[in-house]
Amino acid sequence: MSFGQAIRTCFSKYAEFNDRASRPEFWWWTLFVVLASMAAGIIGEAASALFSLATILPGLAVGARRLHDTNRSGWFQLLWLIPVVGWILLIVWFAQAGKEPNRFGSAG
């Protein structure tokens, strides 16, 4: 999956929490959000706030779908609320290869 495809997929599945997301889809989306957030921050506070509002739901959705690909519940994203330990655990899980087969459907 390319950078553009990942962004299109995440925006087309804006609030889709019931599927699976590949590693490239998740990491390209993350790169897009980081780069666009920096650009919006340079433009101004209002632009940054609007961008954050526009991308929070698809970000949570792609995170849940990525965890589904590793056969984990999307609710594990709540670990972001636990500083350092939760963050490290989630990053490791997001980086893991998808498990096939799993309870969240087939990959792809």
Side-chain angles (χ1 to χ4, degrees):
M1 175 170 284
S2 71
F3 182 74
Q5 288 173 321
I7 294 166
R8 278 191 297 280
T9 300
C10 289
F11 276 122
S12 69
K13 295 181 174 183
Y14 196 86
E16 176 62 48
F17 290 83
N18 295 323
D19 202 358
R20 292 171 66 169
S22 65
R23 276 189 289 189
E25 179 182 344
F26 175 81
W27 290 113
W28 283 127
W29 172 260
T30 301
L31 178 64
F32 164 71
V33 169
V34 167
L35 294 176
S37 292
M38 288 191 306
I42 291 170
I43 293 170
E45 225 173 275
S48 182
L50 286 173
F51 180 77
S52 294
L53 277 173
T55 58
I56 192 163
L57 197 55
L60 288 170
V62 75
R65 292 193 314 269
R66 181 69 204 123
L67 287 169
H68 289 172
D69 195 43
T70 63
N71 203 26
R72 292 180 178 86
S73 171
W75 286 102
F76 277 114
Q77 288 186 94
L78 291 172
L79 290 173
W80 284 123
L81 300 173
I82 301 171
V84 184
V85 174
W87 304 341
I88 292 169
L89 190 56
L90 279 169
I91 290 169
V92 167
W93 287 347
F94 287 145
Q96 285 180 342
K99 294 195 179 2
E100 193 65 49
N102 79 36
R103 61 189 166 139
F104 295 101
S106 61

